[in-house]
Amino acid sequence: MDSIIISGGSKLTGKVKISAAKNSVLPIIAASLLCPFECKLEDIPFLDDVYVICDVLNSVGANISLNKKSNRISIKADNITSIEPPYELVRKMRASFLVIGPLLSRFGRCRISLPGGCNIGTRPIDLHLKGFCALGADVRLGHGYVEAYCNKLKGAKIYLDFPSVGATENIMMAAVLAQGETIIENAAEEPEVVDLSNFLNSMGANIIGAGTDTIRIIGVKELKGTTHQVIPDRIEAGTYMVAAAITQGSVVVENVILEHIRPVIAKLQEAGVTVIEEQNKVKVVANGVPKAVDIKTMPYPGFPTDMQAQFMALMSIAKGTSIITETVFENRFMHVTELKRMGANIKIDGRSAVVEGTAKLTGAQVKATDLRAGAALVLAGLVAEGKTEICEVHHLDRGYVNIVEKMQSLGANIQRIQKE
Ligand code: EPU
């Protein structure tokens, strides 16, 4: 298993280009199952999670070709041979569950293993299933599997108890080929939901309101192939913005949609960091140690849970005490013990963490427990005194394109080493 070794202390400077959003690409690839025609996706980040969703589609008979040189993927689902992706693939990644909406909608059946909990919470799928039932599917659970059947899905009004991103996406994909009108109330407003809606509309779907809390989907008979360019990854962007702030550096983060990173910009500015906005890029300049700020994660447009760990790393060296409250997931503080091993002063009290800024972190051997926890440890390692060794870096491979190379290009003393 590989490790990442960082010698802290370099101020990051230069430019970094953000890749396309992992959390957009995954549902969009799943949505390509909705039609038998070729869908072409551009600017694809070739991440481990993207390979897994491609394998899931392959396993049901979709034809996928990856062009790594031009960062493109083309998918043709004209010969679907199975409605049951194998457990060995599905268990690798929760987002595999996103194929249920398209398969059910197009073929009237899907059997898929139930995703388990993970390091950030129990992560139930009740809201996805509630949506499928409302659309008229017969949904059964047993032996660790979900089976859903229908003759033809019928439009319905669905209220989500929580604006779940995955449930909104899965229900939207199921509803595009349903008979009549579906309305999703209290829908997730995340940019990735809007990107999926734009992709589906370019296939001929009729979706209005994505990006607001009410999405209206008027079912169509069939969809056609399309070409789509995926939005930039707002979480990767936020991570490099924090990298500039934590190292008191000056970094231009390119290929961003400013509107998508508003909460991160606002919180960095509140912490005393200079953020200069330009078209499709931001320059982040930190002269001095940032001030402590409080953070509360919320569904979009609130502060993203996927940036909570990275901000905790920043707050670990800030002036003052910050309270970080996680409201989206119930167990997303696994990085706390690792940051504490590096000298951070953090106490957890229920869903909040009280972070008392310390003058210095010290390098240590630490473990990435999930994707964003891994990113937080990289950030902490950049500013820590001495050497930090992060193990279990396969988590980072799921969501950050070439993080070591990108950090190196900004002047970080970071390398990846292969271990037995
Ligand atoms: N929830 C339910 N029932 C459901 C679905 C969700 O109770 O049926 C709860 C979850 O347990 C959680 C909350 O709702 O407490 C939010 O979950 P959501 O469904 O919104 O998350 P997700 O779709 O499973 C996506 C991203 C996550 C990101 C969250 C929140 C993808 C592939 N994943 O997950 O990304 O944290 O939305 O923004 O889009 C990451 O990239 O590191 C990551 C974990």
Side-chain angles (χ1 to χ4, degrees), residues 98 101 126-135 153-178 180-190 192-194 196-197 200 205-219:
L98 291 168
D126 55 318
L127 300 172
H128 301 235
L129 303 185
K130 180 179 160 184
F132 301 143
C133 289
L135 293 171
L153 294 176
K154 289 209 173 70
K157 204 171 200 183
I158 299 158
Y159 173 82
L160 296 180
D161 299 316
F162 183 88
S164 152
V165 176
T168 303
E169 293 169 341
N170 229 341
I171 295 168
M172 204 158 80
M173 291 187 281
V176 283
L177 291 177
E181 182 182 275
T182 298
I183 294 175
I184 311 176
E185 292 177 333
N186 199 26
E189 298 174 34
E190 268 69 3
E192 294 76 19
V193 172
V194 179
L196 174 64
S197 161
L200 292 168
N206 190 350
I207 305 172
I208 304 152
T212 74
D213 64 359
T214 306
I215 303 179
R216 192 162 151 243
I217 304 140
I218 297 144

Side-chain angles (χ1 to χ4, degrees), residues 282-294:
V282 275
K283 183 171 185 185
V284 180
V285 184
N287 293 316
V289 177
K291 286 184 289 200
V293 292
D294 293 341

Side-chain angles (χ1 to χ4, degrees), residues 103-118:
L103 287 176
L104 180 64
S105 188
R106 180 160 162 222
F107 301 102
R109 279 186 71 193
C110 182
R111 184 170 191 269
I112 190 164
S113 60
L114 278 163
C118 71

Side-chain angles (χ1 to χ4, degrees), residues 22-23 26 95 120 123-128 162-166 190 305-306 328-330 332 371-372:
K22 162 184 87 81
N23 290 346
L26 300 177
I120 61 175
R123 302 183 78 180
I125 41 125
D126 55 318
L127 300 172
H128 301 235
F162 183 88
S164 152
V165 176
E190 268 69 3
T305 172
D306 291 344
V328 178
F329 290 105
E330 73 276 15
R332 207 172 194 178
L371 170 59
R372 308 305 171 187

Side-chain angles (χ1 to χ4, degrees), residues 43-361:
D43 275 342
I44 292 298
F46 284 103
L47 296 161
D48 281 3
D49 277 7
V50 173
Y51 291 120
V52 175
I53 195 81
C54 288
D55 287 346
V56 170
L57 261 74
N58 248 321
S59 75
V60 296
N63 205 331
I64 305 204
S65 76
L66 310 179
N67 187 333
K68 282 202 193 169
K69 270 200 183 140
S70 60
N71 286 346
R72 290 197 183 124
I73 292 190
S74 113
I75 303 149
K76 201 166 178 201
D78 58 342
N79 187 24
I80 296 301
T81 48
S82 159
I83 45 81
E84 185 177 335
Y87 169 70
E88 301 73 58
L89 277 179
V90 174
R91 74 182 169 86
K92 282 191 187 168
M93 183 184 71
R94 291 184 54 82
S96 307
F97 198 71
L98 291 168
V99 299
I100 194 167
L103 287 176
L104 180 64
S105 188
R106 180 160 162 222
F107 301 102
R109 279 186 71 193
C110 182
R111 184 170 191 269
I112 190 164
S113 60
L114 278 163
C118 71
N119 283 349
I120 61 175
T122 52
R123 302 183 78 180
I125 41 125
D126 55 318
L127 300 172
H128 301 235
L129 303 185
K130 180 179 160 184
F132 301 143
C133 289
L135 293 171
D138 181 4
V139 178
R140 294 176 199 185
L141 301 182
H143 306 284
Y145 275 79
V146 183
E147 291 185 18
Y149 306 89
C150 65
N151 282 327
K152 178 85 188 152
L153 294 176
K154 289 209 173 70
K157 204 171 200 183
I158 299 158
Y159 173 82
L160 296 180
D161 299 316
F162 183 88
S164 152
V165 176
T168 303
E169 293 169 341
N170 229 341
I171 295 168
M172 204 158 80
M173 291 187 281
V176 283
L177 291 177
Q179 211 170 48
E181 182 182 275
T182 298
I183 294 175
I184 311 176
E185 292 177 333
N186 199 26
E189 298 174 34
E190 268 69 3
E192 294 76 19
V193 172
V194 179
D195 203 21
L196 174 64
S197 161
N198 289 339
F199 173 72
L200 292 168
N201 280 342
S202 75
M203 292 171 86
N206 190 350
I207 305 172
I208 304 152
T212 74
D213 64 359
T214 306
I215 303 179
R216 192 162 151 243
I217 304 140
I218 297 144
V220 296
K221 282 218 167 65
E222 56 183 16
L223 297 172
K224 57 181 175 27
T226 188
T227 300
H228 183 80
Q229 187 154 9
V230 177
I231 58 170
D233 196 312
R234 63 195 166 102
I235 306 302
E236 190 195 13
T239 303
Y240 285 98
M241 291 167 73
V242 173
I246 204 168
T247 62
Q248 296 181 35
S250 167
V251 173
V252 178
V253 183
E254 296 180 333
N255 191 33
V256 297
I257 297 176
L258 292 170
E259 194 192 326
H260 294 173
I261 53 171
R262 284 275 162 241
V264 173
I265 294 177
K267 282 293 161 183
L268 283 176
Q269 286 175 334
E270 203 180 314
V273 176
T274 305
V275 182
I276 302 157
E277 298 180 15
E278 287 176 42
Q279 211 185 355
N280 302 332
K281 56 185 172 188
V282 275
K283 183 171 185 185
V284 180
V285 184
N287 293 316
V289 177
K291 286 184 289 200
V293 292
D294 293 341
I295 304 278
K296 189 175 190 177
T297 67
M298 302 278 271
Y300 191 85
F303 189 88
T305 172
D306 291 344
M307 281 301 300
Q308 180 255 105
Q310 300 90 315
F311 255 78
M312 194 177 293
L314 181 64
M315 290 302 108
S316 298
I317 53 98
K319 263 187 252 148
T321 302
S322 126
I323 297 178
I324 299 185
T325 307
E326 172 60 55
T327 76
V328 178
F329 290 105
E330 73 276 15
N331 185 28
R332 207 172 194 178
F333 282 142
M334 299 286 281
H335 41 281
V336 169
T337 27
E338 301 303 307
L339 288 171
K340 281 170 83 166
R341 302 188 67 244
M342 298 177 73
N345 197 342
I346 308 171
K347 285 195 192 85
I348 298 179
D349 182 9
R351 286 200 151 196
S352 294
V354 181
V355 187
E356 219 178 286
T358 171
K360 78 169 185 216
L361 295 175

